[in-house]
Amino acid sequence: MSQDTQASEMTDGFHLVIDALKLNGIDTIFGLPGIPITDLTRKAQAEGMRVISFRHEQHAGNAAAAAGFLTAKPGICLTVSAPGFLNGLTALANATTNCFPMILISGSSEREVVDLQQGDYEEMDQLAIAKPLCKAAFRVLHAQDIGVGVARAIRSALSGRPGGVYLDLPAKLFSQTMPAEAGQRSLIKVVEPAPRQLPAPESVARALDLLRTAKRPLILLGKGAAYARADEAVRALVETSGIPYLPMSMAKGLLPDTHELSASAARSYVLAEADVVLLVGARLNWLLSHGKGKTWGADKGAKQFIQIDIAPTEIDSNVAIAAPLIGDIGSCVAALVQGMGSSWPKAPADWVGGIADRKDKNQTKMAATLAANPSPMNFHSALRAVRDIVKAHPDAVLVNEGANTLDFTRSIVDMYKPRKRLDVGTWGIMGIGMGFSVAAAVVTGQPVIAIEGDSAFGFSGMEVETICRYNLPVCVVVFNNNGVYRGTDVNMSGGTDVAPTVFVKGARYEMMMQAFGGVGVVAHTPDELHAAMAEAIASGRPTLINAIIDETAGTESGRITSLNPTAGKK
Ligand code: ADP
Ligand code: TZD
């Protein structure tokens, strides 16, 4: 018998992992090879999976998380044991925090040695460490259980509130063999991993009763609504009710930001003045001032909340929720729209008109700021170019991180389509830039524009090599103002070290992309920035534009200076 024939009758742990993933429609792995998973990456590629290899596991993990959000299938990150696992763990925790489905698969050392703490190569009790940072954690010890392990990981990542899952695969598992036919039979194709969850009719009635009495209603769309892919239902809810809405940053584009009922340009006004607020896949966390205080017009009388969420324990997490609506967003929103029928009265005209007036005023003011042409550029003039490019390329995915760079981009650059904006999310984490960009390019096939503060870019900058290696259509724009927040701080001791927030002045970030064969450009003016971005998108070549921004522009911590009350004080 030839070796090939023998091999076809037996299978092993490597192939069972690959087959289990493929059986469940997973076709891409983001990872970084090494003992004991190098062969898994090779064999996965040989079996037709896309294997995207990174320079650091955190970025592979971030790519998996973004892929999870963009595809509603768990993104897979594959790492080696202990240090590789730990490098991936930040991304797993961030995915869980943001409700993105991902599975971190790490090779691990032998249980016998780890449990007796006998000092194996890269020894660590990874399962125990991962547990508090994800939705679920599983270990597979026997080849015949790989199918169950992968199925449980997929179901845990996708069902209910999505999140991160850890799957621990000890080195010995991969070489275990079993008859191929029994191996195939042991695999599980997960049926309906994220089933619809219909809201209770009485909950729908309660929510509608509250909305009906509202004088100043507001809809708040969060990234849960974007993830839920209930785009048409959400549009019907807004347009049937005529209720103004505010999108959270990753919900931008769910309806085009230019929609007449978007209240983004009157954000502070609507948050303070609304009397009934319908939360759709958005948590009342720090990003929404916990639903309390001046932001929410605490001095202007009681506010009532309706909250749609798939996680029942989210309700009342910060303030009382008068009408919880538990279920998936598609089903809940559809039930509301159906309950409204064709004779539902539109939101009061004085409220909607008052918002429109404020929007007009704020937009006129902003237009004047955006039209200015200071030299060097400031955030506004540079973002004028970005805004125009995104408008011309609404299918491009926009990745965004930094402090001022994040805040100004979010408010200035309109989005036109759902799930086109990826950013620092619930934690405000720096370092997602290049990982998210790689994932967006790989899973959507669309151009990617990454608008990066110079500090933010530094966290994942080495992945420009990954972008060049796979020749991905990613245009990175570094807003270079010589430091964290700004480049002007001074050392308060008068010593020779620069201040902690200051970087090398005049850094040539564009040369980082050139180093790996991509395009590097310096942009001093909005016209140069616009031309370089247009060229990058037209050519599809990996491009890094070093956009020179006035180092005095920007404020400490951007818009969250209030969380840092002693900022810059001696
Ligand atoms: P944002 O940061 O945009 O405000 P959050 O991440 O705080 O959004 O909130 C997202 C919410 O959406 C989470 O509470 C999560 O449970 C919920 N969610 C996610 N997917 C769904 C879904 N398909 N149906 C209902 N709720 C969902
Ligand atoms: N480390 C991590 C992982 N996340 C963080 N959020 C921070 C540190 C602290 N931090 C911010 O919150 S924003 C930021 C840091 C370091 C960078 C801001 O500088 P930038 O952007 O150059 O990226 P701007 O546009 O110049 O403000």
Side-chain angles (χ1 to χ4, degrees):
M1 209 191 286
S2 77
Q3 263 193 337
D4 274 1
T5 325
Q6 269 179 6
S8 72
E9 290 172 355
M10 296 298 283
T11 188
D12 60 16
F14 288 117
H15 288 98
L16 287 167
V17 172
I18 295 162
D19 291 348
L21 293 172
K22 283 173 65 176
L23 181 66
N24 283 289
I26 292 171
D27 54 12
T28 306
I29 291 175
F30 304 94
L32 201 161
I35 296 171
I37 51 96
T38 315
D39 272 350
L40 186 57
T41 60
R42 287 197 188 103
K43 289 176 203 279
Q45 195 172 47
E47 297 292 328
M49 293 187 83
R50 189 102 198 258
V51 180
I52 305 292
S53 206
F54 282 74
R55 304 299 294 258
H56 187 289
E57 291 88 349
Q58 187 174 126
H59 313 306
N62 284 329
F69 174 76
L70 289 170
T71 64
K73 286 192 282 188
I76 305 293
C77 174
L78 182 63
T79 79
V80 302
S81 30
F85 156 78
L86 286 174
N87 284 345
L89 201 53
T90 304
L92 183 70
N94 188 54
T96 306
T97 302
N98 281 283
C99 317
F100 298 161
M102 85 170 261
I103 302 174
L104 174 66
I105 303 180
S106 295
S108 59
S109 307
E110 299 319 330
R111 292 309 315 157
E112 298 84 338
V113 186
V114 175
D115 290 345
L116 279 172
Q117 299 178 30
Q118 294 175 309
D120 206 352
Y121 169 70
E122 298 192 344
E123 173 183 303
M124 177 172 276
D125 189 358
Q126 295 167 197
L127 190 75
I129 290 166
K131 259 185 192 160
L133 298 172
C134 57
K135 270 186 81 181
F138 304 101
R139 173 159 46 228
V140 183
L141 291 175
H142 305 293
Q144 64 266 30
D145 292 332
I146 287 173
V148 169
V150 169
R152 298 209 75 188
I154 292 171
R155 198 174 281 286
S156 301
L158 289 175
S159 61
R161 171 183 279 176
V165 174
Y166 175 59
L167 188 60
D168 192 87
L169 303 182
K172 264 200 291 206
L173 179 75
F174 297 115
S175 54
Q176 284 179 27
T177 57
M178 66 187 288
E181 206 195 309
Q184 284 309 309
R185 268 189 277 114
S186 73
L187 302 183
I188 295 175
K189 185 167 166 53
V190 178
V191 176
E192 242 191 349
R196 285 196 307 146
Q197 295 188 31
L198 307 185
E202 57 274 24
S203 309
V204 176
R206 189 186 294 116
L208 286 172
D209 284 348
L210 193 49
L211 268 186
R212 199 176 286 113
T213 60
K215 297 196 168 53
R216 297 179 305 281
L218 175 68
I219 295 173
L220 230 153
L221 302 174
K223 60 179 169 311
Y227 176 80
R229 288 155 174 77
D231 308 347
E232 285 317 309
V234 169
R235 179 186 279 274
L237 173 69
V238 168
E239 292 181 352
T240 304
S241 66
I243 298 177
Y245 70 94
L246 267 186
M248 297 299 285
S249 72
M250 282 182 56
K252 276 167 69 78
L254 194 42
L255 295 168
D257 280 337
T258 46
H259 195 286
E260 59 175 356
L261 287 169
S262 166
S264 288
R267 188 175 193 274
S268 350
Y269 175 72
V270 291
L271 286 180
E273 297 291 331
D275 63 348
V276 174
V277 179
L278 167 54
L279 298 160
V280 186
R283 287 169 286 184
L284 284 174
N285 55 19
W286 69 281
L287 287 162
L288 284 170
S289 308
H290 304 281
K292 303 180 225 190
K294 223 170 141 221
T295 308
W296 287 92
D299 46 340
K300 297 182 200 289
K303 213 173 278 293
Q304 289 192 290
F305 288 96
I306 303 164
Q307 183 162 24
I308 301 180
D309 208 291
I310 202 149
T313 51
E314 185 56 38
I315 306 305
D316 302 330
S317 58
N318 284 273
V319 297
I321 301 297
L325 208 48
I326 304 305
D328 71 279
I329 286 166
S331 301
C332 291
V333 171
L336 287 180
V337 173
Q338 197 191 8
M340 286 172 172
S342 51
S343 55
W344 186 266
K346 295 269 191 259
D350 55 339
W351 167 239
V352 179
I355 295 170
D357 290 347
R358 273 174 182 79
K359 267 174 66 174
D360 278 351
K361 238 184 269 159
N362 291 342
Q363 281 167 340
T364 308
K365 233 195 286 168
M366 179 58 104
T369 314
L370 287 174
N373 265 322
S375 178
M377 287 189 283
N378 61 12
F379 289 98
H380 292 87
S381 63
L383 284 167
R384 186 178 78 219
V386 177
R387 177 200 61 183
D388 293 347
I389 289 283
V390 171
K391 186 173 182 186
H393 300 279
D395 284 315
V397 179
L398 183 75
V399 175
N400 190 200
E401 61 178 336
N404 295 282
T405 305
L406 175 88
D407 294 335
F408 287 124
T409 305
R410 186 179 54 227
S411 60
I412 292 169
V413 177
D414 286 334
M415 304 305 297
Y416 301 88
K417 294 195 173 181
R419 295 169 293 284
K420 294 294 185 186
R421 196 188 140 86
L422 302 173
D423 66 29
V424 300
T426 303
W427 264 351
I429 189 173
M430 298 298 116
I432 48 83
M434 298 305 101
F436 278 15
S437 295
V438 169
V442 167
V443 305
T444 71
Q446 297 292 337
V448 176
I449 298 167
I451 304 297
E452 301 273 312
D454 49 348
S455 164
F457 172 68
F459 287 75
S460 65
M462 189 64 204
E463 301 297 345
V464 295
E465 191 275 333
T466 308
I467 291 169
C468 287
R469 190 167 7 111
Y470 295 102
N471 195 25
L472 299 173
V474 176
C475 173
V476 182
V477 182
V478 176
F479 275 25
N480 184 0
N481 64 353
N482 296 340
V484 178
Y485 312 130
R486 272 187 311 255
T488 50
D489 270 7
V490 289
N491 179 337
M492 289 195 272
S493 80
T496 51
D497 284 350
V498 296
T501 57
V502 170
F503 294 159
V504 165
K505 305 230 183 234
R508 301 288 304 276
Y509 290 103
E510 77 285 0
M511 294 174 81
M512 290 177 66
M513 196 63 107
Q514 291 167 351
F516 303 106
V519 178
V521 186
V522 183
H524 294 278
T525 65
D527 285 348
E528 286 174 7
L529 179 55
H530 189 282
M533 291 184 75
E535 171 60 26
I537 292 178
S539 73
R541 290 186 63 193
T543 301
L544 193 153
I545 304 168
N546 183 2
I548 311 298
I549 305 287
D550 183 351
E551 67 172 7
T552 66
T555 54
E556 174 123 354
S557 305
R559 292 238 177 113
I560 53 172
T561 308
S562 61
L563 299 181
N564 187 12
T566 62
K569 299 202 176 92
K570 291 195 189 181

